[in-house]
């Protein structure tokens, strides 16, 4: 993600802004969330309702959406990845969204699929794909069920820069351009995009700026996340340097020992 420690600009991938842009009930927000769902899952949603439009940053900032067929979509932006614990949280959220459908008296056959769409500021652990989709399969790659209830998709935002190195920004489709906007925060010519999906987020950005309290809250959260993220990076670099020092020292000791043996 394009950012610096001294950055005072609200990022397009800020999770408060992300939820603001997708959770309103105006034409722009509805178009944005429906288009993201279609581009990621292939499902063309006609009508969608956000079940948790509250923007209180003290609660979960994921966007929970239900469509006209009662299918559930959980869309979230994750820029402070915490490793294994985060992956476990993603699975838990999917299971909880499924569990929340079963009110008293309902049957298991009434359950509708949950589609998780997770924008994450990390490459996948096993490849450099922009999009990775997962559901339960056996060792031969066969799906567990023809009607899976949880389908999880990750959009690995750093991978968009690999794609841009192969083709120009103007040749990206609307969803790829949106990911580029999230990852690079308006760098280069992306803000000149004519794609409606991108323009919705740019319009929402200007719209949210008019709400001083919400904008300040989003900025405060972003600064806190940056301190956390850069703290981890600093710790990693310090550990790497210290590890290299130890490795060099061990190498010297080994050399001395081998030299001593060869002299006898």
């Amino acid at each position: 993600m394009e950012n610096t420690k001294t950055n005072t600009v609200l990022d397009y991938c800020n999770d408060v802004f992300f939820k603001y842009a997708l959770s309103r009930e105006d034409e722009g927000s509805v178009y944005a969330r429906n288009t993201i769902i279609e581009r990621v899952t292939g499902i063309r949603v006609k009508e969608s309702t956000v079940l948790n439009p509250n923007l209180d940053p003290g609660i979960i900032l994921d966007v929970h959406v239900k469509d006209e067929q009662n299918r559930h979509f959980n869309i979230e932006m994750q820029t402070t990845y915490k490793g294994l614990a985060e992956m476990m949280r993603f699975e838990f959220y999917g299971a909880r969204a499924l569990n929340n459908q079963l009110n008293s008296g309902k049957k298991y056959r009434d359950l509708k699929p949950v589609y998780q769409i997770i924008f994450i500021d990390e490459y996948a652990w096993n490849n450099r794909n922009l999009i990775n989709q997962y559901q339960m399969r056996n060792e031969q790659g066969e799906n567990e069920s023809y009607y899976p209830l949880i389908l999880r998709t990750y959009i690995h935002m750093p991978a968009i820069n690999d794609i841009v190195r192969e083709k120009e920004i103007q040749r990206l489709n609307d969803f790829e351009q949106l990911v580029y906007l999230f990852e690079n925060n308006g760098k280069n010519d992306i803000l000149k995009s004519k794609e409606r999906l991108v323009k919705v987020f740019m319009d929402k950005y200007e719209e949210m700026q008019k709400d001083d309290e919400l904008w300040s809250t989003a900025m405060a959260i972003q600064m806190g996340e940056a301190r956390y993220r850069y703290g981890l990076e600093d710790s990693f670099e310090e550990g790497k340097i210290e590890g290299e020092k130890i490795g060099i020292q061990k190498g010297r000791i080994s050399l001395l020992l081998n030299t001593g043996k060869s002299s006898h």
Side-chain angles (χ1 to χ4, degrees):
M1 180 176 58
E2 188 72 20
N3 205 338
T4 66
K5 292 185 181 182
T6 58
N7 188 14
T8 57
V9 177
L10 190 71
D11 292 338
Y12 279 88
C13 62
N14 178 281
D15 48 5
V16 176
F17 167 67
F18 183 78
K19 183 166 185 178
Y20 176 85
L22 292 180
S23 64
R24 306 304 89 188
E25 289 303 328
D26 55 61
E27 183 180 351
S29 288
V30 173
Y31 174 82
R33 63 180 181 251
N34 289 359
T35 302
I36 288 173
I37 289 170
E38 181 178 352
R39 298 292 184 269
V40 174
T41 68
I43 297 172
R44 180 166 293 183
V45 173
K46 296 179 180 178
E47 299 177 10
S48 65
T49 303
V50 175
L51 303 179
N52 63 331
N54 195 326
L55 284 165
D56 182 353
I59 63 174
I60 295 172
L61 288 170
D62 303 354
V63 185
H64 298 170
V65 178
K66 184 170 73 171
D67 74 356
E68 74 281 358
Q69 295 187 33
N70 288 323
R71 292 172 295 205
H72 290 251
F73 303 87
N74 187 0
I75 311 171
E76 71 168 288
M77 174 67 69
Q78 184 61 47
T79 59
T80 53
Y81 180 64
K82 303 179 182 68
L84 179 59
E86 204 72 68
M87 301 300 290
M88 295 172 75
R89 180 181 70 80
F90 295 148
E91 291 197 45
F92 173 75
Y93 276 18
R96 184 171 64 182
L98 195 61
N99 181 69
N100 287 345
Q101 295 181 42
L102 276 184
N103 297 323
S104 178
K106 282 196 172 184
K107 306 296 183 182
Y108 290 119
R109 63 173 175 268
D110 297 327
L111 289 169
K112 297 293 183 180
V114 172
Y115 298 85
Q116 291 178 268
I117 301 173
I118 302 165
F119 291 82
I120 187 167
D121 196 29
E122 292 281 342
Y123 282 106
W125 68 271
N126 57 342
N127 61 56
R128 294 178 76 88
N129 297 341
L130 176 64
I131 298 176
N132 282 300
Q133 297 178 321
Y134 297 95
Q135 67 181 75
M136 298 294 286
R137 293 182 174 89
N138 66 10
E139 294 85 349
Q140 287 74 43
E142 299 166 329
N143 292 338
E144 178 185 35
S145 169
Y146 66 88
Y147 189 74
L149 290 176
I150 298 179
L151 298 99
R152 189 174 301 109
T153 303
Y154 297 95
I155 297 91
H156 300 276
M157 297 190 294
I160 194 63
N161 292 327
D162 298 337
I163 295 173
V164 169
R165 280 191 283 271
E166 297 177 3
K167 61 181 181 180
E168 298 176 353
I169 293 175
Q170 292 76 12
R171 294 175 59 198
L172 301 177
N173 62 37
D174 58 350
F175 181 75
E176 290 172 333
Q177 287 191 26
L178 179 64
V179 176
Y180 187 89
L181 178 66
F182 290 154
E183 179 63 15
N184 295 283
N185 198 36
K187 183 181 177 183
N188 299 326
D189 295 330
I190 193 64
L191 294 182
K192 298 178 183 177
S193 173
K194 296 180 180 179
E195 295 290 352
R196 183 183 178 188
L197 181 59
V198 177
K199 289 178 70 65
V200 166
F201 275 85
M202 291 190 290
D203 291 343
K204 287 294 177 185
Y205 191 88
E206 294 181 4
E207 183 180 294
M208 199 179 96
Q209 280 184 300
K210 298 174 184 177
D211 188 328
D212 292 337
E213 183 177 354
L214 185 59
W215 189 266
S216 297
T217 299
M219 182 61 72
I221 291 174
Q222 178 173 300
M223 292 174 67
E225 290 177 345
R227 284 193 294 271
Y228 172 84
R229 182 167 55 252
Y230 289 115
L232 286 181
E233 289 179 359
D234 289 345
S235 297
F236 174 78
E237 288 303 322
E238 290 169 3
K240 184 178 177 182
I241 292 170
E242 186 62 27
E244 288 173 351
K245 288 180 180 178
I246 293 171
I248 292 171
Q249 187 64 30
K250 286 183 176 179
R252 287 173 177 169
I253 292 171
S254 178
L255 180 61
L256 288 171
L257 289 173
N258 289 333
T259 302
K261 288 179 181 179
S262 62
S263 64
H264 291 286

